[in-house]
Amino acid sequence: MKLPETGWTRDQIFTALAELRAGDLPTEGGAAFAYVYDSGERAASELAAEAFRLFLGSNGLDPTAFPSLLRLENEVVGFAAAHLGGGLEAAGSFTSGGTESLMLAVKTAREWAREHRPHITAPEMIVPATAHAALHKAAHYLGVTLVPTAIDPISFRADVAAIAAAITPNTILLTASASSYAHGVVDPIAEIGQLALRHELLFHVDGCIGGFLLPYFRRLGAQVPAFDLSVPGVTSVSMDFHKYAYAPKGASVIVYRDKALRRHQMYACAGWTGYTVINPTVQSTKSGGPLAAAWALLRAIGDQGYLDLAQRTLDATRAIIGGLREIEGLRVLGEPEMSLVAFTGASPEFPLFALADAMKLRGWLVQPQFSGFGSPANLHLTISAAHLAVKDRFLADLRAAVAEVQTSPPDPGMALLLQAAAALDFSNMSEETFMQALALAGVQGGRLPDKMAAINGLLDALPAPAREAAIVAFVNDLYTHA
């Protein structure tokens, strides 16, 4: 991009931005079942935006310069600690999102082990196959060996026996989900907590997507297993506000059992010529906007307001799961405790990825998830309060789309594509060859085809390492200067 010789007018700028935004996923109205969380309350969104703008220029780097941010963070974390079953000694930090919160959980475990178990030189963390990829990312960034464990193939919950068998003298951290993203189920937290106590290990519960909503579901009568800091053995829990608290993106928290544990997540540096750096979280400079927006929404919506939003979300989830189970040809995976639902075809021959394309043509975004680790390929729905108003239309369109793809002739190109992919050696392939393989599915010049069934079928057929390499090649080609 080249800067304009003279600055654009406000109208020029916002006209251009509106044109770009027109091609994006809609964030309101209930059309999206992935990536966005829609309360359906425009006034709340506008209030959060105002609070965000008010603190946009403030910097959370130094609480002595911006004491307002210190006050806001203490109040938001205080709410989170109480909400997540923490006692008076619980302590935490506001972060930019679930990935940063999980990164800090792993960093804390690594530093705790360095202090309390200095003999461990090759630390390991145990991660069920359904745990969020951000835990894999944290292990990769922080030099901790990730030890994956099996899940129950029916319930899709973590297998406690497999976790117990994976514990070694090098283990520093156990992890579990409340709930898992892929299937919306809560792992057996109490049983894993007992393992943590028995082996004197830290145990982090990833409640990024479920930590806020599940306590409200429990109050509404839903069967929600105990998962938070009240469970013996749990030493930390993460929770996102930009999911079911409906705050703007960039709002999460990690809460520890006590301050002594939180100390291990912090970083300080006096070994340079500038000011002494102290960072409680990964970021140094950070806008106060997301924090102020989250604080404002918690105050504005209040406990009863969030309980009402949770009721709408629970009603929508139950209606959609019930509707899915009535559609011949589809099968719901597991028994979701959260408002996250995965469904697949009743037979392996069902054209699942074509169904995602058919729903997209009808104006709905459903998220494909690939097969592996005991879970078949499926389509994923993230259900929020706004979906209650559109659930009947969604289910009607889904029934029509299922009938359409079941009666459509098989795509001959798909069979040829998978046959060609089977002949490729993905273990020793250059990036250029990966791009050629993606071109077989219609991906060229960093652009995706309108219909994704072919590329999703290709990616699902690849082993996980080859799939990762293919996606890296594509994204590396996608992000380039204009």
Side-chain angles (χ1 to χ4, degrees):
M1 181 181 107
K2 184 179 179 182
L3 291 179
E5 184 120 359
T6 58
W8 285 11
T9 66
R10 179 184 176 86
D11 285 347
Q12 286 177 303
I13 289 169
F14 283 97
T15 296
L17 289 174
E19 289 173 356
L20 291 170
R21 186 72 179 87
D24 285 352
L25 173 74
T27 57
E28 295 178 342
F33 283 89
Y35 307 120
V36 298
Y37 299 83
D38 184 6
S39 69
E41 302 289 338
R42 178 176 287 273
S45 299
E46 291 174 349
L47 178 142
E50 288 183 36
F52 196 114
R53 282 193 296 270
L54 184 62
F55 281 81
L56 182 64
S58 60
N59 189 345
L61 173 62
D62 186 349
T64 67
F66 296 94
S68 61
L69 297 183
L70 177 62
R71 174 69 177 271
L72 292 177
E73 179 158 353
N74 280 336
E75 291 192 7
V76 168
V77 172
F79 159 78
H83 193 65
L84 295 172
L88 293 176
E89 69 282 2
S93 296
F94 187 84
T95 76
S96 64
T99 295
E100 185 179 7
S101 293
L102 293 174
M103 194 83 68
L104 291 168
V106 176
K107 196 262 187 186
T108 294
R110 189 188 70 177
E111 301 306 310
W112 177 88
R114 285 175 175 174
E115 180 175 311
H116 295 278
R117 298 183 179 178
H119 61 279
I120 296 178
T121 58
E124 299 173 352
M125 55 187 281
I126 295 177
V127 177
T130 46
H132 198 279
L135 283 166
H136 294 242
K137 183 177 180 179
H140 175 76
Y141 276 33
L142 294 167
V144 178
T145 298
L146 185 140
V147 180
T149 56
I151 58 170
D152 182 279
I154 304 300
S155 70
F156 302 102
R157 293 181 176 87
D159 185 325
V160 179
I163 293 173
I167 295 173
T168 75
N170 288 328
T171 304
I172 64 169
L173 178 67
L174 304 183
T175 65
S177 303
S179 69
S180 64
Y181 178 84
H183 305 97
V185 298
V186 178
D187 284 333
I189 305 300
E191 296 174 62
I192 301 171
Q194 289 303 307
L195 286 178
L197 290 173
R198 191 177 314 145
H199 294 274
E200 298 183 333
L201 295 169
L202 299 190
F203 176 25
H204 180 77
V205 174
D206 174 11
C208 288
I209 202 163
F212 190 88
L213 190 58
L214 286 172
Y216 284 109
F217 274 12
R218 184 185 291 121
R219 287 169 57 184
L220 292 168
Q223 296 299 309
V224 176
F227 69 88
D228 57 20
L229 288 165
S230 66
V231 177
V234 173
T235 52
S236 58
V237 183
S238 50
M239 178 177 76
D240 289 356
F241 290 105
H242 59 221
K243 291 187 169 75
Y244 287 98
Y246 300 107
K249 294 292 188 287
S252 181
V253 70
I254 180 167
V255 181
Y256 298 95
R257 189 169 291 282
D258 54 44
K259 283 185 178 180
L261 195 53
R262 181 181 62 180
R263 177 175 58 83
H264 294 291
Q265 83 170 26
M266 298 185 178
Y267 173 79
C269 178
W272 71 309
T273 56
Y275 61 93
T276 297
V277 170
I278 172 64
N279 297 147
T281 59
V282 174
Q283 296 183 93
S284 291
T285 291
K286 53 183 178 182
S287 168
L291 172 60
W295 180 92
L297 277 181
L298 292 172
R299 293 281 185 173
I301 296 176
D303 185 63
Q304 185 58 49
Y306 278 118
L307 190 65
D308 293 343
L309 288 169
Q311 182 71 70
R312 285 156 55 187
T313 304
L314 184 60
D315 290 346
T317 302
R318 287 171 169 169
I320 289 173
I321 290 176
L324 286 169
R325 287 178 170 151
E326 292 176 356
I327 298 176
E328 188 175 352
L330 298 184
R331 175 170 66 95
V332 175
L333 298 179
E335 296 289 340
E337 281 121 349
M338 259 292 288
S339 50
L340 308 170
V341 182
F343 65 96
T344 190
S347 71
E349 294 76 28
F350 185 88
L352 189 73
F353 299 129
L355 178 61
D357 286 341
M359 289 300 286
K360 184 178 179 181
L361 288 174
R362 289 165 169 79
W364 304 99
L365 174 75
V366 295
Q367 185 180 46
Q369 297 186 141
F370 301 126
S371 58
F373 308 100
S375 177
N378 59 83
L379 300 182
H380 181 271
L381 304 177
T382 298
I383 301 169
S384 53
H387 288 122
L388 184 62
V390 299
K391 60 179 174 54
D392 293 335
R393 182 162 56 88
F394 169 76
L395 289 169
D397 282 349
L398 184 62
R399 281 190 289 272
V402 167
E404 175 187 305
V405 299
Q406 284 182 318
T407 56
S408 297
D411 181 1
M414 176 69 79
L416 291 173
L417 176 65
L418 296 180
Q419 184 178 357
L424 296 173
D425 178 12
F426 290 100
S427 63
N428 185 24
M429 183 177 288
S430 68
E431 187 165 306
E432 180 181 357
T433 308
F434 266 120
M435 294 307 296
Q436 291 172 354
L438 289 176
L440 293 173
V443 177
Q444 290 179 314
R447 295 181 181 276
L448 291 172
D450 291 333
K451 293 186 176 181
M452 288 290 294
I455 186 171
N456 285 330
L458 172 63
L459 291 172
D460 188 56
L462 300 183
R467 187 186 305 158
E468 291 169 356
I471 292 174
V472 167
F474 166 69
V475 173
N476 193 37
D477 188 56
L478 183 64
Y479 283 94
T480 184
H481 59 81

